[in-house]
Amino acid sequence: MIRWVSAVVDRPARKLDVVVEFWAAVSGSAAGPPDTAGLVGLHSDRGDDYLRVQGVLDGPGGVHLDLSVDDVPEFIEQAVEAGASVVADQRILTSPAGLPFCVLPWKGEHRRTRPFGGPDGALSRVHQVCLDIAPVEFGPELGFWTRLTGWALDTTGLPVFSRLCPEPPIPIRILLQRLGEPRPASAHMDISSADIPAARAWHETLGAAFVGEWPHWTTMRDPAGVVYCLTRGNPATD
């Protein structure tokens, strides 16, 4: 059983400082010191920690999930039975589409972080990791995450999206997006916002760049040039 989920923003190590500053600001958090693996925790008094930033040596980076459980070996066995592969340290795995995730011991986290008010007062909350999956891999990937998490499946009303929604207080849900073309699986962060135009303007002052706008979300790039989305919703419940 998954007790807690954290989202880890993976970015090039050479840009770690500016990325930590950005994600700490947009989540209303304070950054702790990096550990020996280049992992920086983002801390807030509005709830238990669920966001981290990690410097990586290869590639542009992305996002991965840390799943906290009572019994790590047992959960890893279940993950492998569901289709995962163990790649390192017996705690780093990949999904059928090749997306990395980690399995960690639960440390008692239970307080879901409350939304954060930006300079104009509009609320937002980092709330979701979106998995971007090629058409041929979408079905197996959705089946894997549905089986592994045991969470409720919401088809969202849009055929290209399926969402897995955990029970409270788990702070991160998983959205799977069926891409329109074949390409390697990837993941990006979503931030629920009560006022996307205001959030966009503020994020741009922090170093983000606008990519595109759709009816329910706006796509941005953070200071490392990696995509994330501002999604229209209610940060208190998303």
Side-chain angles (χ1 to χ4, degrees):
M1 177 180 179
I2 297 172
R3 294 286 195 166
W4 193 253
V5 176
S6 297
V8 184
V9 177
D10 299 312
R11 296 294 187 268
R14 66 184 184 279
K15 298 182 178 180
L16 184 62
D17 290 346
V18 67
V19 171
V20 167
E21 183 178 2
F22 175 81
W23 283 99
V26 300
S27 62
S29 306
D35 64 15
T36 56
L39 192 68
V40 178
L42 303 182
H43 313 296
S44 168
D45 60 5
R46 302 187 320 280
D48 289 331
D49 294 350
Y50 75 110
L51 299 173
R52 303 181 181 90
V53 181
Q54 180 170 253
V56 296
L57 299 178
D58 298 318
V63 177
H64 76 264
L65 294 164
D66 282 354
L67 309 179
S68 297
V69 301
D70 288 317
D71 189 324
V72 170
E74 179 181 6
F75 188 84
I76 289 176
E77 183 177 337
Q78 294 170 358
V80 171
E81 289 176 355
S85 299
V86 179
V87 297
D89 298 334
Q90 299 301 309
R91 292 188 180 183
I92 303 174
L93 296 87
T94 57
S95 71
L99 293 173
F101 64 97
C102 297
V103 182
L104 306 174
W106 181 48
K107 297 180 179 178
E109 301 97 330
H110 65 281
R111 296 184 303 138
R112 185 178 187 269
T113 301
R114 301 189 307 276
F116 167 67
D120 63 349
L123 294 178
S124 63
R125 193 178 76 86
V126 180
H127 75 122
Q128 182 170 267
V129 169
C130 180
L131 311 182
D132 303 307
I133 311 297
V136 70
E137 296 176 316
F138 186 85
E141 193 74 2
L142 177 60
F144 168 76
W145 287 104
T146 302
R147 178 178 174 184
L148 184 67
T149 63
W151 297 350
L153 176 62
D154 175 11
T155 57
T156 77
L158 298 173
V160 297
F161 292 111
S162 294
R163 181 184 295 122
L164 292 168
C165 301
E167 292 291 331
I170 291 176
I172 289 286
R173 61 192 189 185
I174 300 173
L175 180 70
L176 291 94
Q177 178 175 209
R178 186 195 305 268
L179 299 173
E181 59 186 8
R183 63 176 171 87
S186 60
H188 69 264
M189 197 77 85
D190 285 345
I191 302 176
S192 177
S193 174
D195 187 337
I196 289 181
R200 171 191 164 183
W202 177 46
H203 286 208
E204 288 175 331
T205 69
L206 299 170
F210 173 75
V211 175
E213 185 176 29
W214 289 263
H216 300 291
W217 71 89
T218 292
T219 302
M220 308 287 290
R221 292 189 185 275
D222 72 7
V226 181
V227 163
Y228 70 98
C229 290
L230 298 168
T231 64
R232 192 178 310 281
N234 181 354
T237 57
D238 285 348

